[in-house]
Amino acid sequence: MTSEPTGHPRGLRTLFFTEMWERWSYYGMRALMVPFMTMASGGIGLEKKQAMAIFGLYLATVYASAFPGGWVGDRLLGTKRAVWWGGVAIALGHLILAMHGRTTFFLGLLIIALGSGLLKSNMSALVGLLYPEGGQRRDAGFTIFYMGINLGAFVGPLISGWLQQSEGLGWRWAFGSATAGMFFGLVQWQLTRKALEGVGDRIAHPGQNLKREWVIFYMALIALATVVILCVSGAITLDPVWLAHAVTIVISVVAALFFAWLLLFGGLDGDEKARVGLIIMLFGVCALFWAGFEQMGSSFNVFAEEHTLREFGSWVIPTAWFQSVNPLFVILLSPVVALLWQGMDRRGISLSMTTKMGVAMLLLAFGFGLAVIAAHRALDVGKVWPLWLLGIYLCHTLGELCLSPVGLSAVTKLSPHRYTGQMMGIWFLGTSLGDVLSGIIAGEVSGDAMIAMPVIFTRVVWISSIAGLLLLIFAKKLQKFARGVQ
């Protein structure tokens, strides 16, 4: 694998810009979802509770489909081809979305979610394959790649939000910009794919019946297509709120059954069982954190639209622009947090993974504390300054930087080696569970239920605070379950 003057493989540039354009499309569209679904004029006029449930289900599908997406890349296509076809599916979904109808909107969302799951899991795997030697160079490569993710996430909502608000353009152009983002990503991939030659090709698995696995794959697609056709025809009517609650139960049961099977029949020794027990705890913390964090795209997005001062003279800040705040903070603060951890390590103050996740939960609680005050002010005196949302997003981004990379690293370290891939899928399932819960929570505080916002957010403050304090208090005892893993 040839390298650039920076010392990194040339293929990293291909992956960086492909992911940047994909995230441009994903976050550019995501910033528009809730306003479009709830707007009666120009949108599809859904009740806010239904729109929030759909938003949570969409995010959950993205993360849940990463597990089968990884299987398709590993067993059927190879990671490189899986990324390409995932990108094609995303572009097709955005194109359907831009047709501007209720049916096409939901069909486009489903295709985008499935394509994102296929691309998301295999893109990260490709980055790892560029650095077979591992080490610090590999960590640096992932850091550069992560910057590409957040650069796209920052720019996408700025463009789509500006187009949506511009006179004579509107929703069709805004959703079209997301289509263009993924299209440019695919073009860039094709122009530079030679840099990935020999990386991510399909590897034959011993004893694999490839024909049978393709049959299983096609049967799954046919079953999904059948359900979609029945829904479109009206033969099946789905209530998004009911479905969100049902999916919450299903994800919880699936996770519980998997962990029970692993502990009872997975052939684990005592140390491995202790580490899996710690992963179960981290799974719950992960779900709680993302249930609160993802209010950025749902209830906080509506708060920005309806209860935040966005008018400065004749110019109005597009609501979607607030969705660029989090990736901007990530870009600015990631190096600061990394230097903080390194500086503490040099001074012999090494924080355990449970301590860092406890800090993340307290930061989440502090952000929701600000949200409670902002909601009270909005109910009492009307629209509030944007600084309230900026403060909330700052707290939650710092929490994300304490939890997300630490959680991913912890699962890879704690997992029994023969189950690492499945455990990563389960970790993303925890994120998926949190996403569904986020939609349910947002539905309880939006629209006519806005008066309940301070009460519901206060509950989140208490739950997050208690979880964070328990993690800090029992950090040393919990760390013993890691059995030698730092």
Side-chain angles (χ1 to χ4, degrees), residues 370-406:
L370 293 177
V372 170
I373 299 172
H376 274 301
R377 288 185 61 83
L379 289 170
D380 293 340
V381 300
K383 292 185 177 182
V384 300
W385 284 97
L387 288 174
W388 286 103
L389 280 176
L390 296 183
I392 295 166
Y393 292 171
L394 175 61
C395 293
H396 290 182
T397 301
L398 287 170
E400 176 191 6
L401 293 173
C402 290
L403 180 135
S404 186
V406 172

Side-chain angles (χ1 to χ4, degrees), residues 267-334:
L268 306 181
D269 60 31
D271 286 349
E272 289 175 327
K273 288 182 178 180
R275 291 171 189 151
V276 169
L278 187 54
I279 290 176
I280 293 173
M281 185 275 295
L282 297 179
F283 176 91
V285 174
C286 168
L288 285 176
F289 181 84
W290 295 114
F293 182 89
E294 288 298 351
Q295 298 304 310
M296 283 189 193
S298 51
S299 64
F300 291 160
N301 206 8
V302 172
F303 191 88
E305 173 78 24
E306 299 178 356
H307 306 290
T308 301
L309 288 168
R310 297 183 292 116
E311 299 80 10
F312 290 89
S314 60
W315 181 66
V316 180
I317 303 174
T319 303
W321 282 19
F322 287 93
Q323 299 302 298
S324 291
V325 173
N326 169 245
L328 177 61
F329 280 157
V330 170
I331 292 170
L332 295 176
L333 297 174
S334 289

Side-chain angles (χ1 to χ4, degrees), residues 14 184-195:
T14 300
F184 289 139
L186 291 172
V187 170
Q188 189 273 150
W189 175 274
Q190 286 295 329
L191 291 176
T192 63
R193 62 179 179 173
K194 287 186 178 179

Side-chain angles (χ1 to χ4, degrees), residues 200-277:
D201 297 323
R202 184 184 171 275
I203 300 173
H205 294 259
Q208 180 184 16
N209 188 328
L210 185 60
K211 184 177 180 180
R212 182 176 62 189
E213 292 184 4
W214 272 111
V215 169
I216 293 171
F217 174 72
Y218 285 127
M219 287 178 64
L221 284 183
I222 291 171
L224 179 62
T226 302
V227 172
V228 170
I229 291 170
L230 290 173
C231 290
V232 171
S233 66
I236 296 177
T237 303
L238 294 175
D239 176 14
V241 179
W242 174 87
L243 185 59
H245 284 89
V247 169
T248 299
I249 295 171
V250 170
I251 292 176
S252 301
V253 170
V254 168
L257 289 175
F258 173 80
F259 284 125
W261 171 84
L262 189 61
L263 290 171
L264 295 174
F265 307 108
L268 306 181
D269 60 31
D271 286 349
E272 289 175 327
K273 288 182 178 180
R275 291 171 189 151
V276 169

Side-chain angles (χ1 to χ4, degrees), residues 58-131:
Y58 169 73
L59 297 183
T61 304
V62 169
Y63 283 96
S65 62
F67 189 61
W71 180 84
V72 170
D74 182 38
R75 307 284 296 186
L76 302 181
L77 294 175
T79 52
K80 190 161 54 180
R81 288 179 63 203
V83 167
W84 166 256
W85 287 111
V88 170
I90 293 169
L92 176 63
H94 280 300
L95 191 61
I96 294 172
L97 205 69
M99 292 179 182
H100 210 62
R102 180 181 288 230
T103 300
T104 54
F105 179 78
F106 294 127
L107 180 60
L109 283 184
L110 177 62
I111 295 174
I112 293 169
L114 296 177
S116 296
L118 185 59
L119 183 143
K120 184 180 183 67
S121 55
N122 290 286
M123 183 70 85
S124 296
L126 273 179
V127 177
L129 290 172
L130 290 176
Y131 302 90

